[in-house]
Amino acid sequence: MSCVTTDINYKDSGHGEVQLEIRVPHHHYLDHLMRLNCFSELIDLFKKAHSPAKELTESYSACRSLKPWKSLDDVVVLHIGDGAHARTGAMFALLTKHSNISIDPQTNMDYCTDWALRHKITRFNFLKLPWEDCDFKKLVRGRKCLVTFVHAHVKTQNVIKTLNEAHINWMAAYISGCCKTLDQ
C-alpha cells in the first residue's frame, strides 16, 4: 500500500478545540502539461523515469519559474546535471523558443538523439561531459543565458562562480536542489 505525504498543520484554540488543516498535493502542472500539443513527445521521453509524474512536474516547474524570460530573443538555456535523458532541456526545447544545451556526464547520447530525431525536435543539444569540462564562452557565444539545475548532482554555487568568472551574461537560474549534494 502506498501513501501520499501531506503537510499537516494544526492549531489548538486553547478551548479544547483543534483546527486541522491538511494540505494535499495538487496536480495543476500535470493537468496543464497533459493539455499541451507536445504531451505525447514529452511522455515518450519521461515515461521511462522511475517517477514520471515527479520528473515531469520538476522540469515544468523550472520552465514556469523562468517564464518571465520566455519572450526574450537570442537566449541559450544551460541545463546543468540534466540526467541521462536530458529531460528538462527537451521540455524547454518544446515549450520555449530558446536554444537548449543539456550537460551531464551520464547523458545517453543514442537515446537522446533517437528521441530528438523521431520527434523532429529543434533547439535541443546535449553534451555527455561534466560541467567542469565545458567551455561556457563557446557554448553561449555572447548570448543571454538562463541556467537550470533540476535535481542536479552538482554544487550550484561552483557552477555560478564559474559562469561569473567566464563573464557569461546569465540572467536567472532555477535551482531544485538535490539531497545528494547537501552533505558534500
Side-chain angles (χ1 to χ4, degrees):
M1 182 168 119
S2 64
C3 179
V4 174
T5 304
T6 62
D7 292 332
I8 300 175
N9 299 320
Y10 68 93
K11 243 200 261 187
D12 187 343
S13 69
H15 303 290
E17 298 173 1
V18 175
Q19 284 184 323
L20 187 62
E21 174 186 296
I22 301 175
R23 302 182 72 208
V24 295
H26 65 78
H27 303 100
H28 302 306
Y29 282 175
L30 195 53
D31 290 342
H32 187 261
L33 282 166
M34 292 176 78
R35 291 182 181 107
L36 295 174
N37 289 336
C38 61
F39 186 69
S40 62
E41 290 89 339
L42 288 170
I43 201 64
D44 187 38
L45 184 63
F46 282 81
K47 69 183 175 187
K48 291 188 178 198
H50 176 68
S51 299
K54 173 188 158 297
E55 297 288 336
L56 268 167
T57 55
E58 285 178 349
S59 292
Y60 190 60
S61 179
C63 203
R64 290 289 299 252
S65 294
L66 294 174
K67 190 176 180 179
W69 294 272
K70 188 176 180 178
S71 63
L72 293 176
D73 291 325
D74 202 25
V75 173
V76 63
V77 187
L78 301 173
H79 304 279
I80 309 295
D82 202 13
H85 297 131
R87 292 181 178 111
T88 303
M91 180 180 286
F92 270 67
L94 287 164
L95 300 180
T96 73
K97 62 181 179 178
H98 303 316
S99 297
N100 294 276
I101 304 170
S102 293
I103 302 163
D104 195 296
Q106 301 298 317
T107 301
N108 183 327
M109 300 298 286
D110 292 337
Y111 189 86
C112 291
T113 300
D114 179 58
W115 179 84
L117 290 173
R118 187 178 36 208
H119 296 292
K120 299 177 177 91
I121 306 301
T122 59
R123 301 176 321 279
F124 175 49
N125 295 289
F126 34 90
L127 302 173
K128 182 178 182 157
L129 70 158
W131 71 266
E132 297 92 342
D133 294 345
C134 289
D135 184 341
F136 290 113
K137 281 189 176 193
K138 283 186 181 177
L139 291 176
V140 174
R141 295 187 320 246
R143 296 176 286 178
K144 298 172 202 124
C145 182
L146 299 171
V147 188
T148 70
F149 302 91
V150 176
H151 205 80
H153 298 178
V154 301
K155 288 192 172 188
T156 56
Q157 68 271 21
N158 293 346
V159 179
I160 297 299
K161 180 181 176 190
T162 300
L163 293 173
N164 288 336
E165 289 170 352
H167 303 288
I168 302 300
N169 183 17
W170 68 277
M171 300 172 294
Y174 175 86
I175 301 169
S176 175
C178 174
C179 55
K180 291 184 178 186
T181 58
L182 293 177
D183 55 359
Q184 291 180 349

